[in-house]
Amino acid sequence: MSRTTRLSSTLVRVAAVSGVAALTLTACGPGAGSGSGSPSSGSGSGAVKVGLITKTDTNPFFVKMKEGAEQAAKENGAQLSTAAGKFDGDNAGQVTAIENMVAAGVKGILITPSDSKAIVPAIEKARAKGVLVIALDTPTDPQSAVDALFATDNLKAGELIGEYAKAAMKGKTAKIAALDLAPGVSVGVQRHDGFLKGFGAAEKDVVCAQDTGGDQAKGQTAMENCLQKEPDINVVYTINEPAALGAYTALKAKGREKDVLIVSVDGGCTGTQAVKDGKIAATSQQYPLKMAAEGVKAVVTFAKDGKKASGYTDTGVTLISDKAQGGVDSKDTGYGLENCWG
């Protein structure tokens, strides 16, 4: 899989263009951000209308994804409208956003599904009306429910940190805690399974598993619960860096932060700095700007010549660590901070 193509993390938000009528997207509400639901770029009524629906617009990953979409819309003369769930897992909000965007005449919708299965009927209705639907970051279940997927290879991202953790343990018996995402979300399953595959472990080797929703506070609580259940945990897999930092806080409170290996996925600037600071041993960096930009360009191409994007496009993943392990390909935090987001 290619890991070399990425967009600069210095892309900035594009200001909303005045005079473009706003879409009312009821998926947005308290906690979703005041910018959601409004066209954010475009050159007038003749511009190709593109919709972006993220899980939330408070998570830095999705903030950066929105920035990438805004910049690409500006560069390609498209009109971008955005919406987000009120929380990670707000399927009903995403369904409403799809319906409103279709009614507003978008040519294509880019979506990071909060629930990979439950969102499928709404996507099918949109596609039946001629709307191109592309999943970003998180696959639908089945993946064929959308026209295309632009995403990190999440199984590979998990494998990389699994291989790293295995090498870093240097033959010591591992007692693994898994701080997962939530049921029904394919990205969480893929990262979890990839970690076990890379580590050469099985579910029976996980002494504690807790769902965190990718939230730092919940990650801390989950780690506290796991330490109560199994005080000798020495390897912690986390779904993302906020959960990893929550785990670190819980471990530090117990005086265990130096002897427990934490690995994660994301590559945000805060998480990458945590790797540099020694709080996280390694993380798999992904590139949300590229996902969104490629998605916008695909919708514009579809509008202009009818050519539909299809299949899976890998947007790259790189293992970041300052403590390289033999046989595991990685780059240091200097590279990670140059290419991070958030």
Side-chain angles (χ1 to χ4, degrees):
M1 299 289 184
S2 171
R3 302 180 191 172
T4 58
T5 304
R6 58 186 56 83
L7 297 181
S8 168
S9 60
T10 59
L11 287 175
V12 296
R13 291 176 182 257
V14 181
V17 175
S18 60
V20 182
L23 290 175
T24 301
L25 298 176
T26 57
C28 307
S34 59
S36 292
S38 300
S40 54
S41 54
S43 56
S45 59
V48 176
K49 293 182 179 180
V50 183
L52 172 68
I53 304 170
T54 54
K55 295 177 184 179
T56 72
D57 64 3
T58 54
N59 184 316
F61 183 86
F62 300 120
V63 170
K64 189 57 63 172
M65 182 177 282
K66 183 178 175 181
E67 290 178 10
E70 287 172 338
Q71 181 69 16
K74 178 183 179 183
E75 292 172 353
N76 289 275
Q79 177 184 317
L80 178 72
S81 295
T82 63
K86 296 177 183 178
F87 52 88
D88 196 329
D90 181 14
N91 182 70
Q94 290 196 323
V95 168
T96 301
I98 290 174
E99 293 170 348
N100 288 339
M101 285 182 173
V102 171
V106 297
K107 196 67 176 177
I109 293 174
L110 314 174
I111 185 169
T112 60
S114 280
D115 189 313
S116 300
K117 290 185 178 180
I119 198 65
V120 168
I123 289 174
E124 289 176 341
K125 289 179 183 178
R127 292 179 69 191
K129 293 183 178 180
V131 176
L132 181 74
V133 181
I134 297 174
L136 305 181
D137 177 57
T138 304
T140 51
D141 186 4
Q143 186 175 314
S144 59
V146 291
D147 291 286
L149 168 67
F150 295 161
T152 305
D153 183 339
N154 283 295
L155 187 69
K156 181 65 174 179
E159 284 183 36
L160 287 173
I161 55 174
E163 290 169 358
Y164 179 92
K166 180 69 172 181
M169 287 298 286
K170 301 187 185 305
K172 291 186 292 185
T173 300
K175 291 190 175 182
I176 301 169
L179 303 194
D180 293 313
L181 186 56
V185 184
S186 56
V187 64
V189 174
Q190 290 171 351
R191 291 180 187 179
H192 177 103
D193 291 351
F195 169 80
L196 292 180
K197 180 180 178 182
F199 199 93
E203 289 294 344
K204 65 179 177 61
D205 299 311
V206 177
V207 299
C208 182
Q210 297 262 307
D211 290 332
T212 68
D215 177 80
Q216 184 164 338
K218 292 179 181 177
Q220 180 177 342
T221 299
M223 191 71 248
E224 290 167 349
N225 292 340
C226 284
L227 288 171
Q228 287 180 353
K229 179 181 178 182
E230 179 53 72
D232 295 329
I233 285 167
N234 54 12
V235 176
V236 182
Y237 153 80
T238 63
I239 180 64
N240 66 3
E241 291 153 2
L245 289 170
Y248 176 83
T249 300
L251 288 163
K252 186 175 182 180
K254 294 289 187 180
R256 297 286 316 283
E257 76 275 15
K258 299 293 186 183
D259 58 290
V260 177
L261 185 79
I262 303 175
V263 292
S264 196
V265 178
D266 257 357
C269 295
T270 299
T272 304
Q273 183 63 46
V275 175
K276 184 175 182 179
D277 294 341
K279 297 177 181 179
I280 303 172
T283 193
S284 287
Q285 186 171 70
Q286 51 183 344
Y287 305 101
L289 281 163
K290 180 174 173 59
M291 297 176 199
E294 293 300 314
V296 169
K297 287 188 282 187
V299 174
V300 172
T301 296
F302 171 60
K304 290 181 177 179
D305 62 20
K307 182 180 178 181
K308 286 187 175 183
S310 62
Y312 167 61
T313 298
D314 178 16
T315 52
V317 60
T318 306
L319 183 68
I320 303 296
S321 179
D322 283 335
K323 296 180 179 179
Q325 299 295 323
V328 184
D329 186 28
S330 66
K331 294 186 180 295
D332 65 18
T333 55
Y335 176 92
L337 289 169
E338 287 179 358
N339 291 278
C340 67
W341 42 265

